[in-house]
Amino acid sequence: MTESPESFWSEILSEDPARVLGALRGMGEAERQAALAHLRRMAEEDGWSEAQSRRARVALSITAAVPPPTPRPSGA
């Protein structure tokens, strides 16, 4: 991820499918899984504002509706 954390999370929590998916597309698999785990915590755990929890739930629903990118074979 080359952008600032604030910019990244602004995209992820934008509720805009193109922005959410675009932000995740630029990540490696481990980073993407960490971001999704954080979104699940935001959506399910106490301590987040209702707006944050709602936006996290929207981001998770967007990602659930789109299959993860297929890794490209080496040398392709």
Side-chain angles (χ1 to χ4, degrees), residues 8 10-11 13-14 18-19 22-25 27 31 33 35 37 40 44 46-47 52 59-61 64 71-72 74:
F8 170 77
S10 177
E11 292 298 295
L13 298 174
S14 69
R19 290 173 61 189
L24 290 172
R25 222 172 263 128
M27 304 177 86
E31 288 178 308
Q33 291 306 316
R40 284 189 288 276
E44 298 167 2
D46 292 335
Q52 289 171 316
L60 288 167
S61 69
R72 298 174 80 173
S74 299

Side-chain angles (χ1 to χ4, degrees), residues 8-71:
F8 170 77
W9 286 105
S10 177
E11 292 298 295
I12 293 292
L13 298 174
S14 69
E15 300 183 89
D16 177 334
R19 290 173 61 189
V20 172
L21 296 173
L24 290 172
R25 222 172 263 128
M27 304 177 86
E29 184 60 24
E31 288 178 308
R32 184 172 27 259
Q33 291 306 316
L36 293 173
H38 186 73
L39 285 170
R40 284 189 288 276
R41 287 191 300 277
M42 288 178 71
E44 298 167 2
E45 294 178 359
D46 292 335
W48 301 95
S49 73
E50 180 52 39
Q52 289 171 316
S53 294
R54 179 182 48 78
R55 287 175 178 263
R57 288 190 300 273
V58 169
L60 288 167
S61 69
I62 290 168
T63 62
V66 176
T70 304

